[in-house]
Amino acid sequence: MASVELEQVSKSFGKTEVIKDMSLAIKERELVVFVGPSGCGKSTLLRLIAGLEEMSAGTLRIGGKVMNQTPAADRGVAMVFQSYALYPHMTVAENMGFALKMIGTPKAEIDRKVAEAAEILDLGDLLQRKPRQLSGGQRQRVAIGRAIVRKPDVFLFDEPLSNLDAELRARMRVEIARLHKELKTTMIYVTHDQVEAMTLADRIVLLNKGRIEQQGAPLDLYEAPANRFVAGFLGQPRMNFIAVAAVPDMSGVTREAFTLGLRPDAIEILDGPRPGAVPGRIIVVEQLGTSTLLHVQLAGVADLVTVEWRGKAAHKAGGDVWLGLDPAKGHLFAADGRRLAL
Amino acid sequence: MWSINRFPIAWLLPALLPVAFITIYPIAHALWTSLHQVMILFPVEPFVGLDNYKRVVTSDYFLDALRNSLLFTAIAAPSVVILGVAIALFLQRRFFGSQVIRSIVLLPWVLPGAISAVLWVWVFHPSFGVLNGLLLNLGLIDESIPWLTSPKLALYAVVVAHVWTQIPFAVVLVMAALASINSEVLEAGEIDCRSPYKRFRHIVFPEIKAMVVVLLVYNALTAFTSYDLVYAMTGGGPGTATTLLSFQIWRESFSMYDFGAGSAVAFIVVLISAVLIIAITRALPSDLFAKEEAS
């Protein structure tokens, strides 16, 4: 295990700056998730750490040692790729033992380490198979096994679950969390899936356009987003944003125009009109079993407002409804996106 | 009901008929000719059994031509493949001007064989040749080397010209094979292994091996049956130094007008080619020629 430090790191492809003057410290044994929309630079950042791309500026340290010019193979990292990237002509066992073979490890030791990793990942029966004879989930386990066998200081995961179906993805997510507990190794995990980020991370680093928008424990980001982008990215279903015009309040002071951000579960469905309630018309009802999502059109609000109702709601599409929008349960954002104090 | 799975032959017939007409018929005709005395001046074409073969095999050029052809093939085919792979690996990298260099490398492909031959005759020319001029200027030799008229050097000079004409095709096919490798597999290799040579040997080569075997077979056949460069550069000489078996097909048939003997040489070339194909595919087993593995 090792710490990873980035100091004022930049990366440009031609004239496009993908990573902008980024500094970040990852502690030993930490599982850090880089998350963000596509094109935010999260995969590039991971590839800079792996040594698959060269930094344009800045310093990278792994385990305290500067690694700027160190070849990928000497950085003590192992990477799991989105496409699994198994060597097609090698068996599972050969795939897993390849890195050790390349540094001249004795065969008996390779076999022992491969068997160990196969045991952890339940791959024992598949060792003599070729990658094309495996299912997607098995291939991904082999890819993880190949990384484990090397006993790396840092594990790098580049969207490892994106090619799997939903059920398998949920299972592998748990498996990766378990692995992190067992191996006690530093892990950096890239995903665009905020559910993976929320469930796996010790710390989320939320990236946007080559910069860090916010970093911290998953629930800290969820409950105290630094700005509108973070608030909108984390949370499923997405937070509702309702523009509020500048009007004088009861004391006569005019606040600047702002956006009210309310999570779908923070909006109340009322029995009838009462002070502060807003009328709306239900456009779409989504029954999810444990909860129901109502998509409601409010007068003067362009986007539909999503409301999450615990349990099965009797509401029907086309019906009218009163919603209680309590700013105290949400967040206020200024026009530039930064969060305002309530 | 008339599905391709139930009646494969019926569906393949439209494609197989032309193939039969332009391949099997000429080969059968050549076989027939090789067993008869076919000379343009004699109207009768009597059956002579294996006489043509006997005459060809015992002729004074045969052993020289066979040795030359095998040597030519043994040097040319692997050279084309090795250089083709090396150049393809180099051209795969993007660098300033790489597009221009790619086009230049492909240039020999668009030149007809006869023009390539003339070009190389001028490269090797004892008095005006570029090669001799260069070597003389660099002070590496004191007098011009008679590349094409020396019995020891002529064959190698022709091999060089032949390899030059064949490289572009090899480069294109190897580049196609390289491009089909998953880039993440190559990156995984970079993380697993520091040595570029070991990465090539263990990760890249197995991925392009099928293509390499195809190229080797193709180039062995091209080299073994090549005759246009020899015809245009040396005419088979000096003496029998560059006389190839394939060149003798032409000479027996169209210089001596003995089509029976020419066809006999042609058939010997076909048989040796078949042996070469089998030998190469056996020596370098690849997925392409292997039976489907049960998965």
Side-chain angles (χ1 to χ4, degrees), chain A residues 35-60:
Chain A
V35 67
S38 47
C40 70
K42 57 191 188 294
S43 277
T44 306
L45 192 58
L46 193 76
R47 294 165 59 81
L48 290 175
I49 296 171
L52 296 173
E53 303 280 357
E54 219 170 296
M55 297 186 294
S56 306
T59 311
L60 165 71

Short mmCIF file of all heavy atoms in Angstrom, two decimals, chain A residues 35-60:
data_model
loop_
_atom_site.label_atom_id
_atom_site.label_comp_id
_atom_site.label_asym_id
_atom_site.label_seq_id
_atom_site.Cartn_x
_atom_site.Cartn_y
_atom_site.Cartn_z
N VAL A 35 -15.27 10.63 -9.73
CA VAL A 35 -16.54 10.53 -10.42
C VAL A 35 -16.83 11.86 -11.11
O VAL A 35 -16.31 12.91 -10.71
CB VAL A 35 -17.67 10.13 -9.43
CG1 VAL A 35 -17.93 11.23 -8.42
CG2 VAL A 35 -18.94 9.74 -10.16
N GLY A 36 -17.59 11.78 -12.18
CA GLY A 36 -17.93 13.01 -12.91
C GLY A 36 -18.52 12.64 -14.25
O GLY A 36 -18.48 11.47 -14.64
N PRO A 37 -19.08 13.62 -14.94
CA PRO A 37 -19.69 13.33 -16.25
C PRO A 37 -18.61 12.97 -17.27
O PRO A 37 -17.43 13.19 -17.02
CB PRO A 37 -20.37 14.64 -16.61
CG PRO A 37 -19.63 15.69 -15.84
CD PRO A 37 -19.15 15.04 -14.59
N SER A 38 -19.01 12.41 -18.42
CA SER A 38 -18.00 12.03 -19.39
C SER A 38 -17.28 13.29 -19.89
O SER A 38 -17.89 14.35 -20.03
CB SER A 38 -18.61 11.25 -20.56
OG SER A 38 -19.75 11.90 -21.03
N GLY A 39 -15.97 13.13 -20.08
CA GLY A 39 -15.17 14.26 -20.52
C GLY A 39 -14.68 15.14 -19.39
O GLY A 39 -14.08 16.18 -19.62
N CYS A 40 -14.90 14.72 -18.12
CA CYS A 40 -14.48 15.57 -17.00
C CYS A 40 -13.01 15.40 -16.67
O CYS A 40 -12.44 16.15 -15.90
CB CYS A 40 -15.32 15.28 -15.77
SG CYS A 40 -14.98 13.69 -15.03
N GLY A 41 -12.36 14.37 -17.26
CA GLY A 41 -10.93 14.18 -17.04
C GLY A 41 -10.60 13.10 -16.03
O GLY A 41 -9.45 12.85 -15.72
N LYS A 42 -11.63 12.37 -15.54
CA LYS A 42 -11.37 11.38 -14.49
C LYS A 42 -10.51 10.22 -14.97
O LYS A 42 -9.59 9.78 -14.29
CB LYS A 42 -12.69 10.87 -13.89
CG LYS A 42 -13.66 10.27 -14.90
CD LYS A 42 -15.03 10.05 -14.26
CE LYS A 42 -15.96 9.28 -15.18
NZ LYS A 42 -16.33 10.00 -16.41
N SER A 43 -10.79 9.72 -16.21
CA SER A 43 -9.98 8.61 -16.73
C SER A 43 -8.57 9.08 -17.05
O SER A 43 -7.61 8.36 -16.80
CB SER A 43 -10.62 8.04 -18.00
OG SER A 43 -11.62 7.12 -17.64
N THR A 44 -8.45 10.29 -17.58
CA THR A 44 -7.12 10.83 -17.88
C THR A 44 -6.30 10.92 -16.59
O THR A 44 -5.12 10.57 -16.57
CB THR A 44 -7.25 12.23 -18.52
OG1 THR A 44 -8.11 12.12 -19.65
CG2 THR A 44 -5.91 12.77 -18.94
N LEU A 45 -6.94 11.38 -15.53
CA LEU A 45 -6.25 11.51 -14.25
C LEU A 45 -5.71 10.15 -13.80
O LEU A 45 -4.56 10.02 -13.36
CB LEU A 45 -7.22 12.09 -13.22
CG LEU A 45 -6.63 12.57 -11.91
CD1 LEU A 45 -5.58 13.63 -12.16
CD2 LEU A 45 -7.73 13.15 -11.01
N LEU A 46 -6.55 9.12 -13.94
CA LEU A 46 -6.14 7.77 -13.54
C LEU A 46 -4.97 7.30 -14.41
O LEU A 46 -4.02 6.68 -13.92
CB LEU A 46 -7.32 6.81 -13.69
CG LEU A 46 -7.13 5.45 -13.03
CD1 LEU A 46 -7.30 5.59 -11.53
CD2 LEU A 46 -8.13 4.43 -13.55
N ARG A 47 -5.04 7.59 -15.71
CA ARG A 47 -4.00 7.16 -16.63
C ARG A 47 -2.69 7.90 -16.37
O ARG A 47 -1.61 7.34 -16.61
CB ARG A 47 -4.46 7.35 -18.07
CG ARG A 47 -5.64 6.43 -18.44
CD ARG A 47 -6.33 6.88 -19.71
NE ARG A 47 -5.39 6.89 -20.82
CZ ARG A 47 -5.04 5.81 -21.51
NH1 ARG A 47 -5.60 4.65 -21.22
NH2 ARG A 47 -4.17 5.88 -22.47
N LEU A 48 -2.78 9.13 -15.88
CA LEU A 48 -1.56 9.85 -15.49
C LEU A 48 -0.90 9.14 -14.31
O LEU A 48 0.32 8.99 -14.26
CB LEU A 48 -1.89 11.30 -15.10
CG LEU A 48 -2.31 12.24 -16.24
CD1 LEU A 48 -2.72 13.59 -15.66
CD2 LEU A 48 -1.19 12.42 -17.24
N ILE A 49 -1.73 8.73 -13.35
CA ILE A 49 -1.19 8.04 -12.17
C ILE A 49 -0.59 6.69 -12.59
O ILE A 49 0.47 6.29 -12.12
CB ILE A 49 -2.31 7.84 -11.11
CG1 ILE A 49 -2.78 9.21 -10.60
CG2 ILE A 49 -1.81 6.98 -9.95
CD1 ILE A 49 -4.01 9.17 -9.72
N ALA A 50 -1.26 6.00 -13.54
CA ALA A 50 -0.78 4.69 -13.99
C ALA A 50 0.50 4.81 -14.80
O ALA A 50 1.27 3.85 -14.89
CB ALA A 50 -1.86 4.01 -14.83
N GLY A 51 0.71 5.97 -15.41
CA GLY A 51 1.89 6.11 -16.28
C GLY A 51 1.58 5.80 -17.72
O GLY A 51 2.48 5.59 -18.53
N LEU A 52 0.29 5.75 -18.06
CA LEU A 52 -0.08 5.49 -19.45
C LEU A 52 -0.13 6.80 -20.25
O LEU A 52 -0.16 6.78 -21.47
CB LEU A 52 -1.44 4.79 -19.51
CG LEU A 52 -1.45 3.39 -18.88
CD1 LEU A 52 -2.88 2.84 -18.84
CD2 LEU A 52 -0.55 2.45 -19.65
N GLU A 53 -0.20 7.91 -19.53
CA GLU A 53 -0.10 9.23 -20.18
C GLU A 53 0.97 10.01 -19.43
O GLU A 53 1.19 9.78 -18.24
CB GLU A 53 -1.42 10.01 -20.07
CG GLU A 53 -2.63 9.33 -20.64
CD GLU A 53 -2.71 9.46 -22.15
OE1 GLU A 53 -1.85 10.14 -22.75
OE2 GLU A 53 -3.65 8.86 -22.72
N GLU A 54 1.60 10.94 -20.16
CA GLU A 54 2.62 11.75 -19.51
C GLU A 54 2.00 13.07 -19.07
O GLU A 54 1.21 13.66 -19.81
CB GLU A 54 3.76 12.01 -20.51
CG GLU A 54 5.12 11.97 -19.87
CD GLU A 54 6.20 12.00 -20.93
OE1 GLU A 54 6.28 11.04 -21.73
OE2 GLU A 54 6.94 12.98 -20.97
N MET A 55 2.36 13.54 -17.90
CA MET A 55 1.81 14.80 -17.42
C MET A 55 2.41 15.96 -18.18
O MET A 55 3.58 15.91 -18.57
CB MET A 55 2.12 14.96 -15.93
CG MET A 55 1.49 13.88 -15.06
SD MET A 55 1.74 14.20 -13.31
CE MET A 55 3.50 14.02 -13.20
N SER A 56 1.62 17.02 -18.39
CA SER A 56 2.16 18.21 -19.05
C SER A 56 2.90 19.08 -18.03
O SER A 56 3.85 19.76 -18.36
CB SER A 56 1.04 19.02 -19.69
OG SER A 56 0.30 18.20 -20.56
N ALA A 57 2.43 19.05 -16.78
CA ALA A 57 3.09 19.82 -15.72
C ALA A 57 2.72 19.21 -14.38
O ALA A 57 1.73 18.49 -14.28
CB ALA A 57 2.66 21.28 -15.77
N GLY A 58 3.52 19.49 -13.36
CA GLY A 58 3.18 19.04 -12.02
C GLY A 58 4.03 17.87 -11.57
O GLY A 58 4.92 17.41 -12.28
N THR A 59 3.72 17.41 -10.36
CA THR A 59 4.49 16.33 -9.75
C THR A 59 3.54 15.23 -9.27
O THR A 59 2.49 15.52 -8.71
CB THR A 59 5.27 16.85 -8.52
OG1 THR A 59 5.96 18.03 -8.91
CG2 THR A 59 6.27 15.82 -8.02
N LEU A 60 3.94 13.98 -9.53
CA LEU A 60 3.18 12.83 -9.02
C LEU A 60 4.08 12.04 -8.09
O LEU A 60 5.21 11.71 -8.44
CB LEU A 60 2.72 11.94 -10.19
CG LEU A 60 2.23 10.54 -9.78
CD1 LEU A 60 0.88 10.63 -9.09
CD2 LEU A 60 2.13 9.63 -11.00
#
